[in-house]
Amino acid sequence: MGPWISAFLAAALVAQVPPSGSAAEGRLRRDVAFLASPELKGRGNGYPELDRAAAHILREWKALGLKAEIQRFPFIAKVAREEQGALLTHGEEERPLVWGRDVEAVGFSGDADFRRKPLVFLGHGVRVPGGYDDFAGMEVKDRVVVIARTLPDTDGFAHLPRGERSLLARVKRLETERAAAVLVLEDGPARPLQREEGPVKLDIPVLSLSVGALGDACGDLQARLKAIRDTGKPASQDFIYAPWTTLTLKLKLHREEAQVPNVVALIPGRDPQLRKEYIVLGAHLDHLGLGERHSLGGAEARGQVHPGADDNASGAALVVELGRELKEARPRRSILLMHFGGEEEGLLGSSHWIQHPTHPLESVKFMLNFDMVGRLDPAAPKLLMGGLGAPKSALEAAKKLAPADFSISADVGAAVGGSDHMSFSQAKIPTFFFFTGIHGEYHRPTDTADRINFAGLAKLAAYGRTLALDLADAETVPAFDPETAKIVMRGNGGPMRVAFGTLPDYADNPKGFRINGVTRGSTAEAMGLQAGDIIIRFGGRAVKNIYDFMDALGAHKPGDKAVVQWLRGDQTMQAEATLKGRS
Ligand SMILES: [Zn+2]
């Protein structure tokens, strides 16, 4: 192929940028306006409005003559108490526990109906392999087990494997050990009953217990917890011995289960062989509804519509636009166009599809995920791309296909945001992830359609079209790379114990860790940090990028003092912070 031909083809391959005000931009504007409209009520999971959004997408596919379907998965939308009774016996004394004050059911709790089961205190209910063990020497079977929710921020617990830290993981272990019930000792009042992350309902009854509810029925549990923190040794205690402490419990929960939609459409490939292989283009359709959960807008945002124009009406509209354009392009491989529900609740829709694929999973060769692509900065247009499970070379090649008028900051691995592509990379499918960055309206009622950069969105759609066609028409598709699929935990692998409150600018910055803003009421805000500042030192450590910042932050605990140095324009500024714990 002569150089001019390759130059011509190369020119043809690089994304052609649609003129501003293009037809594509108009269609994108129309779809975002509808999906982020007040009447769609923030497309909450379990809301009928999310079904309306799915029906809108399905109509678009039908109008294009594409084969399309709605796949539904179960989602616990609401959970409420139907029957309840809790009686604590201590020696001769009997005392009812008050629901909503002393105790409350936890959203994934099972039902209960038992009498006088003895209590045992089991610290935090953890067992560190070859190390700390709250279970050592304790009888758990058929006991009511009291564990504290909050893990101590001491080194002894820092090495507890990530998957075993969550309350759910600890309760599941007690269920396996056939405990009769779990009482979760809170640091304060009992937590209100609400649906918990994920589609989970356990068999074991689980109650949230306010800090003082037991009185002295189990002695001084706070002293035991302090002993654990101070000594790093377990302080479990069985209350089957005198004074006998037991619980009689009756609990029946009612769950409203909704069937949440995923929408899947197919553009069949034109190549007799390659059409058996699929390239997935995906975006989540759900958002936060009225902000019952995951809202960052504070108490006043609860009950307000969270329109989610950028998160993720922008990505949802972009995938519809790709469907329109790729149908015309007649790719060699087949294209699956997917709109997921349940992303905000833990990637539920995409992980459901991976477990119940509508098309042969082993034939899915690559996945492109668009989540929050509506806020390309017109002044400094930069797209963030992740390549979880994709070979580095594929990401480099993709960058070369980008139009000249926006730059790309690419990072293999999981650095750039968690979203539905993670369900695919965990199924060993290489992915690209597209994201225009975090902003002050993220997960707030202010994420509205009037803030969307539609000319930018149209440019990204053109780029997405180029990449999708490149993959669909190539002789071979880049293979899955397990190295880049690793979800890297930074620092000591333990959880982040302090909250600082910066909104990261995920784009690489040669000088340090640049921020896009600060969260209200945070330490960063109190120190006077602002959008555009570049953090260069934290707590005596040099900060060259977001990883260094996470490491430096991860090395601190609540109450620690840390000197922070940052650049603002050509000024170097510094202040000392007293770090606060995560709430
Ligand atoms: Zn999102």
Side-chain angles (χ1 to χ4, degrees):
M1 188 162 38
W4 62 269
I5 293 185
S6 58
F8 165 75
L9 276 179
L13 265 180
V14 168
Q16 298 307 312
V17 177
S20 171
S22 68
E25 195 182 315
R27 291 188 293 261
L28 289 161
R29 195 182 286 276
R30 191 204 61 196
D31 284 337
V32 169
F34 173 71
L35 294 171
S37 61
E39 62 262 26
L40 271 261
K41 255 192 186 161
R43 307 181 308 281
N45 287 293
Y47 286 34
E49 286 78 12
L50 182 56
D51 291 323
R52 281 188 60 195
H56 172 79
I57 305 283
L58 194 66
R59 256 195 317 276
E60 289 295 317
W61 295 146
K62 300 280 178 191
L64 282 171
L66 299 182
K67 248 176 96 204
E69 62 185 299
I70 290 191
Q71 174 194 51
R72 293 189 179 279
F73 59 91
F75 171 74
I76 296 165
K78 279 201 188 74
V79 57
R81 263 187 283 116
E82 223 168 57
E83 291 173 46
Q84 69 276 317
L87 199 62
L88 191 68
T89 312
H90 177 48
E92 298 312 306
E93 189 207 332
E94 274 204 339
R95 178 163 61 83
L97 295 172
V98 179
W99 289 86
R101 187 193 73 189
D102 298 332
V103 287
E104 182 56 274
V106 171
F108 50 61
S109 173
D111 293 347
D113 190 358
F114 61 71
R115 291 185 51 72
R116 295 188 166 211
K117 296 220 185 257
L119 267 61
V120 59
F121 172 68
L122 217 68
H124 302 86
V126 298
R127 175 180 281 156
V128 178
Y132 180 96
D133 185 0
D134 280 321
F135 290 73
M138 302 305 294
E139 176 58 61
V140 167
K141 188 165 171 297
D142 218 24
R143 292 281 200 287
V144 174
V145 178
V146 181
I147 59 169
R149 178 190 291 267
T150 312
L151 291 168
D153 50 26
T154 54
D155 292 347
F157 288 77
H159 301 295
L160 185 65
R162 189 182 156 87
E164 295 183 22
R165 309 188 70 84
S166 72
L167 176 68
L168 180 62
R170 289 181 276 150
V171 168
K172 276 189 173 167
R173 180 192 291 279
L174 289 164
E175 185 176 52
T176 317
E177 305 274 348
R178 308 226 312 267
V182 180
L183 302 182
V184 180
L185 188 59
E186 307 292 355
D187 304 335
R191 295 198 177 190
L193 172 56
Q194 60 171 13
R195 61 167 316 283
E196 297 287 333
E197 192 87 10
V200 175
K201 173 191 168 311
L202 301 178
D203 294 328
I204 192 168
V206 186
L207 304 186
S208 170
L209 186 71
S210 81
V211 66
L214 291 177
D216 62 1
C218 292
D220 185 350
L221 293 185
Q222 294 309 318
R224 286 182 182 280
L225 288 168
K226 185 170 183 317
I228 292 171
R229 280 196 300 276
D230 298 348
T231 66
K233 293 199 170 59
S236 302
Q237 169 74 26
D238 196 336
F239 294 96
I240 192 162
Y241 312 110
W244 204 37
T245 303
T246 70
L247 183 73
T248 296
L249 180 63
K250 187 168 184 53
L251 177 64
K252 196 165 180 336
L253 292 178
H254 168 72
R255 285 184 172 79
E256 247 172 60
E257 191 170 278
Q259 291 291 325
V260 171
N262 283 337
V263 188
V264 183
L266 171 72
I267 297 174
R270 72 169 193 275
D271 182 291
Q273 205 42 48
L274 293 182
R275 71 158 56 114
K276 296 179 194 124
E277 298 183 357
Y278 302 93
I279 305 296
V280 170
L281 309 179
H284 75 90
L285 193 55
D286 65 307
H287 194 51
L288 305 186
L290 300 174
E292 303 92 332
R293 296 165 46 75
H294 308 307
S295 171
L296 293 178
E300 70 271 19
R302 296 271 140 77
Q304 287 187 49
V305 170
H306 287 57
D310 187 32
D311 189 10
N312 186 32
S314 66
L318 187 148
V319 168
V320 175
E321 182 57 25
L322 286 178
R324 293 184 189 111
E325 299 187 17
L326 289 165
K327 183 188 173 234
E328 300 309 311
R330 301 188 63 245
R332 297 176 70 200
R333 284 183 180 80
S334 297
I335 304 244
L336 284 172
L337 304 150
M338 294 192 193
H339 289 85
F340 304 108
E343 190 273 349
E344 302 286 5
E345 296 292 348
L347 313 184
L348 300 181
S350 54
S351 52
H352 179 83
W353 191 87
I354 292 290
Q355 284 145 33
H356 310 276
T358 55
H359 295 76
L361 187 61
E362 65 284 2
S363 307
V364 174
K365 296 302 174 192
F366 213 99
M367 194 265 185
L368 277 58
N369 185 35
F370 302 87
D371 190 352
M372 295 179 65
V373 286
R375 300 283 296 264
L376 199 65
D377 178 355
K382 179 171 282 186
L383 172 68
L384 306 169
M385 262 182 85
L388 207 59
K392 242 191 173 128
S393 56
L395 202 53
E396 290 314 312
K399 281 171 78 173
K400 291 203 179 73
L401 292 175
D405 68 342
F406 61 78
S407 65
I408 294 189
S409 169
D411 192 307
V412 291
V416 183
S419 180
D420 293 302
H421 55 287
M422 295 172 114
S423 302
F424 285 77
S425 70
Q426 272 154 21
K428 301 193 169 29
I429 294 165
T431 72
F432 284 155
F433 174 53
F434 304 85
F435 174 46
T436 50
I438 218 117
H439 45 72
E441 290 72 46
Y442 174 66
H443 278 201
R444 290 173 179 81
T446 46
D447 178 6
T448 49
D450 58 323
R451 295 171 192 269
I452 298 298
N453 172 357
F454 287 101
L457 190 55
K459 284 182 191 150
L460 295 180
Y463 180 44
R465 177 185 181 280
T466 301
L467 285 184
L469 262 184
D470 186 54
L471 289 163
D473 291 352
E475 285 312 319
T476 57
V477 173
F480 176 72
D481 178 346
E483 275 316 301
T484 65
K486 282 201 190 101
I487 311 252
V488 183
M489 280 302 290
R490 308 296 306 181
N492 64 8
M496 197 55 77
R497 297 173 286 181
V498 294
F500 189 60
T502 48
L503 295 174
D505 175 348
Y506 287 94
D508 302 340
N509 187 295
K511 298 186 188 133
F513 169 53
R514 186 179 180 283
I515 63 171
N516 267 349
V518 292
T519 53
R520 204 169 321 143
S522 66
T523 309
E525 185 187 50
M527 293 180 73
L529 278 158
Q530 294 170 4
D533 288 346
I534 300 171
I535 295 174
I536 53 173
R537 289 192 76 76
F538 192 102
R541 294 182 185 207
V543 172
K544 289 188 290 314
N545 53 43
I546 187 170
Y547 300 135
D548 294 349
F549 174 73
M550 299 297 273
D551 279 354
L553 198 60
H556 287 86
K557 61 184 185 302
D560 280 5
K561 292 196 179 318
V563 174
V564 183
Q565 213 176 56
W566 67 93
L567 302 174
R568 182 171 298 163
D570 51 15
Q571 267 193 300
T572 303
M573 305 169 80
Q574 176 167 315
E576 183 182 69
T578 304
L579 300 170
K580 288 187 284 186
R582 308 181 71 79
S583 56

